[in-house]
Amino acid sequence: MFLWGTATASYQIEGAVTEDGRGPSVWDTFSHTPGRVRDGHTGDVACDHYHRYLEDVALMAGLGVNAYRFSIAWPRVMPTGAGPVNQAGLDFYDRLVDALCERGITPVPTLFHWDLPQALEDEGGWLNRDTSRRFADYAAVVAERLADRVRMWITLNEPFVHMVEGYGLGIHAPGRALMFDALPVAHHQLLGHGLATQALRAAGAEQVLITNNCTPVWPASGSPEDLAAAETYDILHNRLFNDPVLTGAYPDLSAFGVEIPVRPGDLETIAQPLDGLGINYYNPTRIGGPGGDGLPFRFEEISGVPTTAFGWPVVPDGLRELLDSLKARYGDALPPVYITENGCSYDGLDDQERIAYLDGHITAMRQADVDLRGYFVWSLLDNFEWAEGYHQRFGLVHVDFETQQRTPKASYHWLRKFLEATDTLEVQSTDT
Ligand code: FCB
């Protein structure tokens, strides 16, 4: 069955940040630190999904999707990141999974979508190797409770973005600006992925994926400098997180001047066989180089294409290009691919631009020569868009954050009709 779904993440929608024993996460700390998030917005209430999840599941059922990718908040399950399990936190996901199954919607949880328990950050967060082991312990606890109903699991969401924005640039929680000294965060997340994969399987999980953010990298010109810079950026954004998982080896990281703290056996752990690769795609990236600021690359504008409200270039064929390039790079080592996020920020209820965006990207992905098994729209609801607060609206459903009123947008109705046409449900014959 091809999975057509919507995607969300815990801190972006749940709210209820002190309820039922949830501990603080790095995003609570960060969003409450003045100057970190636009207009001081926080996820304290967000979409109040913790209390309104039944309404949100009903919205998905009305949309006609057969899958839902959501994330589990580690600090709800283990308020201090390790040690005592908070059953009340697990109960919430238990209820959510039941509600989804009752509606015939396949639950696809992600175990880490950036809301690390603050207590673990206090011990170094993902710079500390111990966090990998703690992540696996947490994965085992969640799977023991849910694996009787949840078949498909995603370990990490976008470890690249978390490393760069959270530890490299300090734009996201935990707000550390270490530049390339953040690179150990890549290894500890990947090790956590490998250990969690083992823990999930031991607890009965049938299918395990990782979700990576990937981008086609376009050299700004054919000059040797631009080509070399583009290759360097491709290593950092795409290969650093795909190569170890799919091939058991890191790419050449010498351009970054930082050693990755690999110990014997780590790469074997990281390269556990996977049942799928989750890909989040938003736009291509144009790179010239080197940068004037000591960086081995610089970002160049992509002109001549529409942009979203976020200013991101809209290039649907970039998705086909990305998928074909993954196939060319990894060949038979590429597992089935799921587009675990794709979407855009636009204002308004009559969101014709979003319809054009989704239509264009779905068409483009179908032209790719890969074994594609799923497509999840980011996002079901307008939500807390990290450093942008509530300013970027990615939802198929509009949320009035004063009243929590949900209103389906034109794109919701468009997608509902698209999904109703059952012959469009299969991209290829990829039954599992
Ligand atoms: C991705 C994140 C997701 C959301 C979208 C717009 O990088 O995984 O949480 O913020 O971008």
Side-chain angles (χ1 to χ4, degrees):
M1 182 177 70
F2 190 87
L3 298 183
W4 291 99
T6 56
T8 64
S10 46
Y11 189 74
Q12 296 182 274
I13 63 165
E14 286 179 359
V17 291
T18 56
E19 219 155 299
D20 293 338
R22 177 186 179 277
S25 78
V26 292
W27 268 99
D28 296 281
T29 309
F30 188 80
S31 65
H32 281 270
T33 306
R36 292 302 212 173
V37 175
R38 201 168 149 194
D39 288 341
H41 291 170
T42 74
D44 288 3
V45 179
C47 306
D48 195 32
H49 171 78
Y50 192 77
H51 299 115
R52 295 168 197 260
Y53 70 97
L54 287 176
E55 184 182 349
D56 296 336
V57 171
L59 279 164
M60 284 183 256
L63 180 58
V65 289
N66 60 11
Y68 175 45
R69 173 175 180 244
F70 58 99
S71 84
I72 293 178
W74 187 345
R76 277 197 202 285
V77 177
M78 288 174 149
T80 58
V85 174
N86 177 35
Q87 295 299 335
L90 272 175
D91 290 346
F92 169 68
Y93 298 106
D94 203 282
R95 292 193 296 272
L96 174 63
V97 164
D98 278 348
L100 292 166
C101 293
E102 272 165 31
R103 300 284 202 152
I105 299 171
T106 302
V108 184
T110 301
L111 287 166
F112 181 68
H113 200 127
W114 307 349
D115 43 359
L116 190 76
Q118 180 62 41
L120 293 187
E121 176 58 27
D122 295 342
E123 291 169 29
W126 287 107
L127 288 162
N128 181 348
R129 185 180 167 96
D130 291 348
T131 300
S132 316
R133 170 52 62 197
R134 302 249 164 100
F135 181 60
D137 294 344
Y138 149 68
V141 166
V142 179
E144 271 154 29
R145 175 67 91 86
L146 300 180
D148 58 335
R149 285 150 292 158
V150 173
R151 290 183 59 209
M152 181 179 285
W153 298 78
I154 299 174
T155 55
L156 303 175
N157 177 70
E158 298 187 351
F160 167 76
V161 176
H162 188 54
M163 174 187 79
V164 169
E165 312 261 287
Y167 290 85
L169 301 172
I171 297 166
H172 283 181
R176 305 188 61 163
L178 303 170
M179 298 308 286
F180 292 130
D181 287 335
L183 273 172
V185 168
H187 185 62
H188 296 148
Q189 287 186 96
L190 287 168
L191 183 60
H193 156 77
L195 293 168
T197 300
Q198 293 170 337
L200 287 167
R201 292 206 197 286
E206 288 174 35
Q207 296 185 294
V208 183
L209 283 69
I210 186 172
T211 278
N212 279 330
N213 179 298
C214 292
T215 183
V217 179
W218 294 352
S221 80
S223 75
E225 293 78 15
D226 287 351
L227 290 173
E231 194 182 327
T232 302
Y233 187 75
D234 183 41
I235 287 173
L236 188 67
H237 195 133
N238 298 314
R239 294 186 55 194
L240 174 55
F241 295 90
N242 284 327
D243 282 18
V245 167
L246 300 180
T247 73
Y250 278 108
D252 176 6
L253 299 171
S254 53
F256 309 110
V258 176
E259 284 290 308
I260 293 258
V262 182
R263 296 192 191 163
D266 284 1
L267 281 159
E268 289 74 10
T269 303
I270 291 170
Q272 303 291 310
L274 289 182
D275 305 286
L277 178 65
I279 295 291
N280 292 356
Y281 168 77
Y282 288 92
N283 50 257
T285 308
R286 189 160 176 262
I287 293 291
D293 42 13
L295 285 179
F297 47 76
R298 64 166 194 274
F299 297 94
E300 299 263 343
E301 198 184 323
I302 293 177
S303 49
V305 299
T307 53
T308 70
F310 217 148
W312 297 357
V314 178
V315 185
D317 187 60
L319 180 52
R320 182 213 49 80
E321 180 186 337
L322 172 66
L323 294 172
D324 283 340
S325 73
L326 288 169
K327 185 73 193 173
R329 178 168 283 163
Y330 298 110
D332 291 343
L334 184 70
V337 175
Y338 295 78
I339 306 302
T340 40
E341 282 182 31
N342 177 239
C344 50
S345 146
Y346 287 110
D347 293 325
L349 286 173
D350 187 22
D351 55 342
Q352 298 300 320
E353 304 101 324
R354 178 170 289 103
I355 293 173
Y357 184 101
L358 297 176
D359 193 21
H361 285 75
I362 290 169
T363 301
M365 86 177 173
R366 290 172 141 167
Q367 289 161 0
D369 190 18
V370 297
D371 180 359
L372 202 60
R373 308 252 179 127
Y375 176 85
F376 294 75
V377 176
W378 184 271
S379 184
L380 175 67
L381 305 166
D382 292 340
N383 60 49
F384 176 81
E385 178 46 40
W386 309 117
E388 289 287 307
Y390 296 98
H391 289 290
Q392 304 297 339
R393 292 182 173 270
F394 277 88
L396 296 164
V397 175
H398 178 272
V399 177
D400 178 331
F401 292 105
E402 299 292 318
T403 63
Q404 292 297 341
Q405 167 87 34
R406 277 101 162 112
T407 310
K409 304 180 188 178
S411 58
Y412 175 99
H413 298 295
W414 173 83
L415 188 58
R416 179 172 49 72
K417 287 195 193 116
F418 171 83
L419 295 173
E420 261 168 25
T422 42
D423 60 330
T424 66
L425 284 178
E426 298 291 327
V427 164
Q428 303 165 10
S429 57
T430 53
D431 247 31
T432 42

